[in-house]
Amino acid sequence: MDRLKDSRAWNHYIYARQYTEAHPMDESEGRLSNHDLEYVIENGANAWEFEPSADNTGVVVRNCTEIEFTGGEQSLMANLQFPNEQRVYYYEVRLDSLPFSTNIAIGVAMKGYPPRRMAGWARNSIAYHTLDGTAYYAHPLHACRKALGAARTSDTIGVGWRPYSGKMFFAVNGAIVCHIRTPWANKRMYPVVSADGPCKIHVNVGARAFVLSHANMKHWGLAATEGARLPPPMYQNVDGTVLLAATPHVLPPTYECSTDGESTKHTVVSIGDEGDEFDGVEEEEMDDFSIAELQKQYTGYQRTQLESKFCEYSGRVSVLLQQLSDNPAYFGDLDKARVGLNAAHKQHLQGCVDAALDLYIG
């Protein structure tokens, strides 16, 4: 024993003992809480995730169940316990990358397990270790099952948990290799994975088919493959809703502007994207204009200049027509805007002139 002191193994052992004394594990019995059960029903097997704690400095998790250990003794627990509602639960871990010198531990543990201690080497845990093919129970010197066979890259290790009896079993590449009895019947146990060196693993709690065919036939996954997420409710009556009450309909503001000495009341109405605006005249009647009358009103313009201006307005009115057909709600009850735009839809120049004057010249 004296030779072990000050060694890395001894330091990890002391750390685990002190951690469990300072952070007592949850040794209670029970099933998933109502909140967690609802989350599992909605998300299925995807509800189980592995999230590193603040002490797991050498772990990277991708897509919730793809775990990469970069070095150092690290343990990672699932966010949810076994549901404890059926006779058997089962999950598998695929060894995507396993260097020869790295040891991976796969098993079960109670909540509060030390994050920097291999599973199976501290209280209230049991795990299969890939380096020597041994199942360890709560202590590094307590090998409850030996010679199960060392694992290597591409192997799949399975863990079965029987909550009613507290029994469990391990499987390697679809074959059950041992059964173990524990005193943890109906306890809140969690899936746990550990490693002491660089490696990559992928955990499957039921989101995909298992290598152990019997687990597929008996539905031993922790939950259904896909959740039963309900669609949003249908709203038959929107009167008095919070959204509409917070944003009541308000008419656009009006302002006075002057064109050639005459004051005209205008309203700004938004169309399409923000910043795309036009002026809608609120006068009760629109007079028909001819080019001769326009020349009298705008004496400084030549006929060719007016025709050029009308063509420019005609193109802009065409854009407004398209926006009106795509977004009619933007115009509200402004009948004059609709009248002006409908007039511009005529093929002759006079209609374009009327709409252009009504919307732009003012």
Side-chain angles (χ1 to χ4, degrees):
M1 184 66 68
D2 293 336
R3 290 183 300 176
L4 293 176
K5 290 184 177 180
D6 297 329
S7 66
R8 187 177 65 174
W10 176 263
N11 292 334
H12 283 300
Y13 172 76
I14 296 300
Y15 157 78
R17 190 174 66 178
Q18 293 176 347
Y19 186 92
T20 53
E21 291 176 356
H23 306 84
M25 295 186 185
D26 181 8
E27 300 183 6
S28 63
E29 299 180 2
R31 302 180 178 181
L32 289 169
S33 65
N34 292 334
H35 178 269
D36 291 339
L37 183 59
E38 182 179 353
Y39 182 71
V40 170
I41 293 174
E42 291 181 355
N43 296 274
N46 294 317
W48 274 263
E49 304 175 1
F50 289 82
E51 298 180 356
S53 66
D55 294 333
N56 293 127
T57 57
V59 182
V60 178
V61 179
R62 301 180 180 88
N63 300 323
C64 301
T65 55
E66 298 176 15
I67 307 172
E68 179 180 0
F69 294 90
T70 59
E73 198 166 309
Q74 306 282 338
S75 283
L76 212 57
M77 297 186 68
N79 60 330
L80 298 175
Q81 67 171 78
F82 291 99
N84 289 357
E85 294 185 353
Q86 65 187 36
R87 294 175 59 87
V88 183
Y89 289 98
Y90 180 80
Y91 78 96
E92 289 182 340
V93 177
R94 188 183 66 217
L95 311 180
D96 292 337
S97 174
L98 178 57
F100 179 77
S101 60
T102 297
N103 183 27
I104 297 177
I106 303 163
V108 300
M110 293 185 183
K111 188 174 184 180
Y113 191 81
R116 296 203 307 271
R117 186 59 169 165
M118 295 290 289
W121 286 357
R123 292 180 52 213
N124 298 329
S125 69
I126 187 169
Y128 166 87
H129 287 234
T130 62
L131 190 62
D132 56 3
T134 301
Y136 289 89
Y137 169 67
H139 196 279
L141 300 180
H142 189 183
C144 56
R145 291 293 186 273
K146 297 182 179 181
L148 302 180
R152 56 188 178 182
T153 300
S154 76
D155 283 348
T156 299
I157 310 301
V159 179
W161 171 247
R162 302 177 184 270
Y164 297 160
S165 62
K167 295 180 181 179
M168 63 180 305
F169 61 87
F170 291 102
V172 178
N173 295 329
I176 297 177
V177 294
C178 73
H179 294 266
I180 301 173
R181 183 186 297 273
T182 74
W184 304 324
N186 296 315
K187 297 290 186 180
R188 300 180 184 272
M189 306 303 294
Y190 290 72
V192 60
V193 293
S194 310
D196 62 1
C199 63
K200 294 181 181 179
I201 63 176
H202 196 167
V203 183
N204 175 25
V205 300
R208 304 179 307 279
F210 294 118
V211 176
L212 180 62
S213 59
H214 200 66
N216 297 317
M217 293 186 292
K218 294 293 185 178
H219 304 287
W220 285 351
L222 275 59
T225 302
E226 296 182 359
R229 187 185 299 273
L230 297 177
M234 296 181 62
Y235 294 96
Q236 303 295 342
N237 185 4
V238 297
D239 294 338
T241 60
V242 176
L243 180 61
L244 294 181
T247 57
H249 177 68
V250 179
L251 292 177
T254 58
Y255 64 93
E256 300 289 337
C257 68
S258 177
T259 304
D260 293 340
E262 296 181 1
S263 178
T264 307
K265 191 176 183 181
H266 285 63
T267 301
V268 177
V269 182
S270 298
I271 303 177
D273 297 332
E274 184 179 356
D276 188 7
E277 300 176 347
F278 76 95
D279 296 336
V281 180
E282 290 186 346
E283 295 178 355
E284 292 297 329
E285 297 181 357
M286 290 188 301
D287 298 330
D288 293 334
F289 292 92
S290 64
I291 293 181
E293 291 172 340
L294 291 175
Q295 287 177 327
K296 292 179 182 179
Q297 184 175 356
Y298 300 97
T299 55
Y301 286 86
Q302 299 295 326
R303 181 183 180 90
T304 54
Q305 293 176 323
L306 287 174
E307 290 178 349
S308 176
K309 184 65 68 176
F310 298 157
C311 291
E312 177 186 349
Y313 290 153
S314 176
R316 296 169 66 181
V317 169
S318 299
V319 174
L320 292 174
L321 278 172
Q322 182 62 39
Q323 293 176 334
L324 174 61
S325 62
D326 294 340
N327 306 284
Y330 286 129
F331 288 88
D333 297 328
L334 299 178
D335 294 333
K336 284 299 180 182
R338 290 194 181 93
V339 171
L341 291 174
N342 289 331
H345 193 58
K346 298 179 182 179
Q347 298 298 321
H348 55 81
L349 180 61
Q350 183 64 51
C352 295
V353 170
D354 291 344
L357 289 173
D358 181 38
L359 298 176
Y360 296 101
I361 300 178

